[in-house]
């Protein structure tokens, strides 16, 4: 009986110790959060913001000062080239034209007067020549008649020159009068009107803008600011996708049309203007809208992809020291990223092989910020890559630097 009791006690102690060690090992176990390696399309993009505008916007101003008498168009009015947009009060210009025309008539009358004087001088000269040939007058009288003819001829030339001068003055005043009629220089749509009837415009120092006309709203462009770190990836002809706040559920296509070399510094950041051409057949896009642009710099189809979180995972975690067998099995302590012999960037991920993590070195391709393409064949579709570890790994038994734990 005593032997049976002793055996039962020994069994109970063994079971208790076994349970204790099992619980201890379970508490020191590590759980992993994983994701599957998938295959699909991947694209690399450069994001930027810009402003939608018409390809050609013409600012219509005035070269004359005066009061706006009439306005014939308003916002969103379609206009044709040469169409009358507004009229500046022409009263003052009309008066100047009338004065210039009167001056021209006076100059023309002076020409007629000079021509009559020349004819009289010609007749006097001929008469004196006849009289001189018969010795009826002195030589001085003939010379005087010849001088008077030359003087009359000069006065005629002066009168004709004054006529040309007055014609030019009349043409200038008539041109100024025409400038009081504000005409559309292009076919398009009025997107801005900056004057009202009765308003006085002054063109003395600078040309005031009366109207803004977008030549063709079915073709738009986006002026984007691309950071200098990304400008090297941009090429003319690359595809573009963008959204605007007015249509958050719609994505619009476009293409890179121009990369301007003039730098712009915004808050100590150097940017370059990348012009994106956009078709706008439904006239949804309006000038001034803010566009969130994604320029597609690379596109790969049917490639293996791993989450970027897997590339950031490190094993063992900081402060954990695996046993030697686990270190040999998992490759702990190897560098996470190395440089391949061909210059391509290589990096490792940790694959959950059974219940143990295994490091797989990779050659990486393009990335969209969430996933990265895998160019090497170390992984296959469906492999479980580790994203993070939960629980606690086995830690070193030596106390940390700084003294005994009682002072921690």
């Amino acid at each position: 009986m005593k032997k049976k009791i002793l055996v039962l006690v020994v069994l109970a102690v063994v079971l208790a110790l076994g349970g204790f060690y099992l619980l201890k090992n379970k508490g020191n176990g590590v759980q992993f959060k994983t994701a599957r390696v998938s295959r699909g399309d991947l694209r690399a993009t450069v994001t930027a913001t810009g402003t939608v505008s018409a390809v050609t916007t013409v600012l219509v101003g005035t070269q004359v000062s005066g009061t706006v008498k009439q306005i014939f168009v308003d916002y969103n009015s379609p206009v044709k080239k040469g169409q009358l947009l507004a009229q500046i009060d022409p009263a003052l210009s009309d008066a100047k034209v009338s004065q210039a025309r009167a001056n021209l008539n006076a100059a023309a009358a002076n020409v007629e007067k000079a021509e009559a004087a020349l004819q009289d001088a010609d007749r006097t000269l001929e008469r004196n020549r006849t009289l001189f040939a018969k010795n009826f007058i002195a030589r001085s009288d003939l010379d005087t008649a010849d001088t008077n003819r030359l003087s009359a001829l000069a006065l005629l030339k002066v009168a004709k020159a004054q006529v040309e001068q007055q014609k030019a003055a009349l043409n200038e005043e008539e041109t100024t009068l025409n400038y009081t009629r504000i005409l559309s220089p292009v076919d398009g749509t009025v997107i801005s009107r900056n004057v009202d009837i009765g308003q006085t415009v002054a063109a003395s120092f600078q040309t005031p803008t009366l109207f803004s006309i977008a030549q063709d709203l079915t073709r738009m462009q986006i002026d984007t600011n691309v950071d200098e770190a990304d400008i090297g990836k941009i090429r003319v002809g690359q595809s573009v996708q963008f959204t605007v706040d007015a249509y958050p559920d719609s994505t619009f296509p476009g293409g890179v049309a121009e990369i301007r070399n003039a730098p712009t510094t915004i808050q100590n950041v150097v940017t370059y203007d990348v012009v994106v051409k956009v078709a706008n057949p439904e006239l949804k896009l309006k000038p001034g809208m803010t566009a969130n642009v994604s320029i597609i710099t690379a596109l790969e189809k049917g490639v293996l992809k791993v989450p970027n979180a897997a590339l950031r995972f490190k094993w063992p975690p900081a402060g954990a020291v695996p046993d030697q067998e686990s270190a040999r099995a998992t490759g702990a302590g190897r560098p996470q990223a190395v440089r391949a012999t061909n210059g391509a960037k290589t990096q490792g991920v940790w694959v959950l092989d059974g219940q143990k993590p295994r490091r797989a070195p990779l050659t990486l391709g393009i990335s969209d910020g969430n996933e990265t393409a895998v160019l090497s064949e170390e992984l296959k579709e469906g492999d479980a890559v580790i994203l993070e570890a939960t629980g606690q790994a086995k830690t070193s038994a030596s106390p940390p630097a700084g003294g005994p734990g009682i002072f921690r």
Side-chain angles (χ1 to χ4, degrees), residues 2 18-19 24 73 82 85 101 104 138 141 186 252 270 288 293 302 312 327 382:
K2 291 182 180 180
K24 180 179 179 182
V73 296
L85 305 179
R101 187 173 287 112
L104 177 60
D141 293 336
V186 294
F252 298 90
V270 178
V293 179
R312 295 189 295 267

Side-chain angles (χ1 to χ4, degrees), residues 293-367:
V293 179
S294 295
I295 303 173
I296 302 174
T297 58
L299 178 63
E300 298 287 347
K301 295 185 176 181
V303 295
L304 285 178
K305 303 182 295 182
V306 296
N308 287 355
L311 301 175
R312 295 189 295 267
F313 175 75
K314 294 183 179 181
W315 181 258
V321 178
D323 54 52
Q324 295 181 357
E325 181 180 357
S326 298
R328 287 193 300 269
T330 62
R334 299 176 186 174
Q336 281 292 105
V338 296
R339 184 67 62 177
T341 57
N342 61 358
K345 184 180 180 181
T346 63
Q347 190 166 339
V349 295
W350 292 90
V351 182
L352 191 60
D353 189 0
Q355 296 297 324
K356 295 182 179 180
R358 172 179 60 85
R359 186 181 183 277
L362 302 176
T363 302
L364 305 179
I366 65 174
S367 174

Side-chain angles (χ1 to χ4, degrees), residues 62-67 88-89 92-93 176 180 200-205:
T62 176
Q63 299 187 39
V64 297
S65 302
T67 303
I88 295 178
D89 190 359
L92 184 60
S93 296
T176 302
T180 62
T200 300
V201 293
S204 302
F205 301 102

Side-chain angles (χ1 to χ4, degrees), residues 46-53 221-227 231 234 240-242 255-260 262 264 266 271-278 290-295:
V46 172
T47 59
T49 59
T51 303
V52 179
S53 62
Q221 72 179 29
I222 304 173
D223 294 309
T224 64
N225 295 320
V226 177
D227 188 272
I231 195 65
I234 309 300
V240 173
Q241 292 183 345
F242 68 95
V256 176
E258 184 181 0
I259 304 172
R260 295 177 178 170
T264 302
I266 302 175
T271 62
Y272 294 87
D273 187 8
V274 176
V275 180
V276 177
K277 292 296 179 68
V278 179
T290 300
N292 301 310
V293 179
S294 295
I295 303 173

Side-chain angles (χ1 to χ4, degrees), residues 42-324:
L42 198 64
R43 64 183 184 183
T45 61
V46 172
T47 59
T49 59
T51 303
V52 179
S53 62
V55 175
T56 302
T57 301
V58 181
L59 304 180
V60 181
T62 176
Q63 299 187 39
V64 297
S65 302
T67 303
V68 179
K69 186 177 181 180
Q70 290 178 296
I71 296 178
F72 301 98
V73 296
D74 205 345
Y75 292 94
N76 302 331
S77 298
V79 295
K80 297 293 184 180
K81 183 177 181 179
Q83 180 178 337
L84 183 62
L85 305 179
Q87 174 75 58
I88 295 178
D89 190 359
L92 184 60
S93 296
D94 278 334
K96 291 182 179 180
V97 168
S98 298
Q99 182 179 357
R101 187 173 287 112
N103 292 337
L104 177 60
N105 293 335
N110 289 332
V111 170
E112 295 178 357
K113 181 179 178 181
E115 289 175 345
L118 178 61
Q119 291 177 0
D120 182 64
D122 287 338
R123 287 192 295 267
T124 301
L125 179 61
E126 289 297 325
R127 183 167 52 252
N128 287 350
R129 283 176 178 172
T130 302
L131 295 175
F132 178 75
K134 297 180 179 180
N135 294 323
F136 290 157
I137 60 174
R139 179 74 183 184
S140 60
D141 293 336
L142 179 61
D143 293 341
T144 300
D146 188 34
T147 302
N148 291 338
R149 181 190 176 280
L150 293 176
S151 178
L153 181 60
L155 290 175
L156 177 60
K157 291 181 179 179
V158 170
K160 289 182 177 180
Q162 289 177 346
V163 169
E164 296 300 325
Q165 184 178 6
Q166 294 303 322
K167 284 183 178 179
L170 176 61
N171 185 38
E172 180 182 0
E173 296 300 337
E174 288 178 341
T175 301
T176 302
L177 177 62
N178 290 333
Y179 283 156
T180 62
R181 303 175 73 249
I182 310 301
L183 305 179
S184 174
V186 294
D187 297 343
T189 303
V190 177
I191 60 175
S192 175
R193 176 174 64 84
N194 301 323
V195 292
D196 294 309
I197 295 177
Q199 182 176 342
T200 300
V201 293
S204 302
F205 301 102
Q206 62 182 3
T207 302
T209 300
L210 307 183
F211 302 93
S212 297
I213 299 178
Q215 188 170 4
D216 186 4
L217 291 179
T218 62
R219 295 184 299 112
M220 308 290 282
Q221 72 179 29
I222 304 173
D223 294 309
T224 64
N225 295 320
V226 177
D227 188 272
E228 61 176 329
D230 297 323
I231 195 65
K233 306 174 186 176
I234 309 300
R235 299 289 184 274
V236 173
Q238 289 176 337
S239 298
V240 173
Q241 292 183 345
F242 68 95
T243 60
V244 294
D245 294 340
Y247 309 100
D249 298 329
S250 300
T251 301
F252 298 90
V256 176
E258 184 181 0
I259 304 172
R260 295 177 178 170
N261 293 325
T264 302
T265 303
I266 302 175
Q267 295 181 351
N268 296 326
V269 177
V270 178
T271 62
Y272 294 87
D273 187 8
V274 176
V275 180
V276 177
K277 292 296 179 68
V278 179
N280 188 31
E282 300 180 1
L283 301 181
K284 287 185 175 181
L285 301 176
K286 301 183 183 300
M289 285 185 171
T290 300
N292 301 310
V293 179
S294 295
I295 303 173
I296 302 174
T297 58
L299 178 63
E300 298 287 347
K301 295 185 176 181
V303 295
L304 285 178
K305 303 182 295 182
V306 296
N308 287 355
L311 301 175
R312 295 189 295 267
F313 175 75
K314 294 183 179 181
W315 181 258
V321 178
D323 54 52
Q324 295 181 357

